[in-house]
Amino acid sequence: MQRLILYLSLFVLILIAWPGQAYPSGADHEIGKLAPLFELPDINGKNVLLSGFRGNIVLINFWATWCGPCRAEMPSLNNLYNALKDKGLVVIAISSDTSEKPVRSFVSDKKISFPVLMDKEKSVSFDLYGIVGIPITFVLDMNGIVVEKIIGEREWDAPKMKDKITRILERR
C-alpha cells in the first residue's frame, strides 16, 4: 500500500511540474468565443487594454521567466512579430512572474519588441483564462474571437507556423 501511495504521489508531482503542460480549464474563452477582455500594466507600469487591439490579429502568449519552454520560444515569437507586424499582427506576452525585474532583464537581453504585460496576481491568466500550465497562446481574430489555442512551446518563425499565421492575417 505504501508503494502505491508513493507511485501516485510521484505521478501527481510529475503532472504538476511537467514544463509546458496545460490542463483543460472549462472556461468559456474557447475557440469560436470572444476572448475575455482585460487591462494589465506593462513592464514599465503603463496600462494596456486588450480591446485597444481590435481590428488586428492578436497572439496572447502566457509565459514566465522561470519557464524553460517559455524562454526558449520567445526569440522565435519575436521574429514572427517583427516579420508580420506591418501586416496587422499584434503579439502580447503576459508574464506571471511576481516581479518586473527578471522580466525586464529577459526582454532587454532578448530584444523583445512586442508588449510584455505583468499578471502578478494571476487575475487574467488563472481567473479569466483558466491557465494552469505555460506556455500557452491564444490567437484572436480582428473581432477578438479565439480562433486557435496553441498549447506548449512552438518555433514561431518556422515556415509552417509563419504560413499559418499569415493565412489568418489574410482573412482579416
Side-chain angles (χ1 to χ4, degrees), residues 21-85:
Q21 182 66 33
Y23 305 94
S25 67
D28 66 356
H29 56 276
E30 298 300 324
I31 294 175
K33 300 207 176 180
L34 186 64
L37 296 176
F38 59 81
E39 178 178 0
L40 286 172
D42 67 13
I43 57 175
N44 299 310
K46 179 185 172 201
N47 281 348
V48 175
L49 290 141
L50 177 60
S51 61
F53 298 105
R54 285 275 165 85
N56 295 292
I57 302 302
V58 179
L59 270 65
I60 304 172
N61 177 266
F62 290 91
W63 76 294
T65 59
W66 47 261
C67 166
C70 301
R71 293 174 65 92
E73 78 173 354
M74 273 296 164
S76 70
L77 187 56
N78 196 54
N79 290 341
L80 177 73
Y81 170 71
N82 287 327
L84 299 177
K85 66 183 176 184

Side-chain angles (χ1 to χ4, degrees), residues 16-161:
I16 291 170
W18 189 268
Q21 182 66 33
Y23 305 94
S25 67
D28 66 356
H29 56 276
E30 298 300 324
I31 294 175
K33 300 207 176 180
L34 186 64
L37 296 176
F38 59 81
E39 178 178 0
L40 286 172
D42 67 13
I43 57 175
N44 299 310
K46 179 185 172 201
N47 281 348
V48 175
L49 290 141
L50 177 60
S51 61
F53 298 105
R54 285 275 165 85
N56 295 292
I57 302 302
V58 179
L59 270 65
I60 304 172
N61 177 266
F62 290 91
W63 76 294
T65 59
W66 47 261
C67 166
C70 301
R71 293 174 65 92
E73 78 173 354
M74 273 296 164
S76 70
L77 187 56
N78 196 54
N79 290 341
L80 177 73
Y81 170 71
N82 287 327
L84 299 177
K85 66 183 176 184
D86 293 335
K87 295 182 179 181
L89 178 67
V90 171
V91 173
I92 301 169
I94 299 178
S95 173
S96 59
D97 286 83
T98 56
S99 169
E100 290 88 354
K101 187 176 180 180
V103 179
R104 274 195 210 111
S105 178
F106 180 83
V107 167
S108 176
D109 290 348
K110 299 297 181 186
K111 297 177 178 37
I112 303 299
S113 53
F114 49 78
V116 178
L117 311 182
M118 297 299 300
D119 188 19
K120 293 179 190 179
E121 305 298 322
K122 288 36 162 206
S123 61
V124 172
S125 55
F126 292 162
D127 298 341
L128 285 180
Y129 282 78
I131 305 298
V132 294
I134 53 177
I136 187 165
T137 303
F138 292 87
V139 181
L140 312 183
D141 72 9
M142 60 187 281
N143 297 310
I145 303 296
V146 177
V147 295
E148 188 146 356
K149 179 178 177 181
I150 301 170
I151 299 170
E153 177 186 353
R154 293 294 185 270
E155 185 145 347
W156 292 98
D157 56 355
K160 188 175 180 179
M161 184 59 77

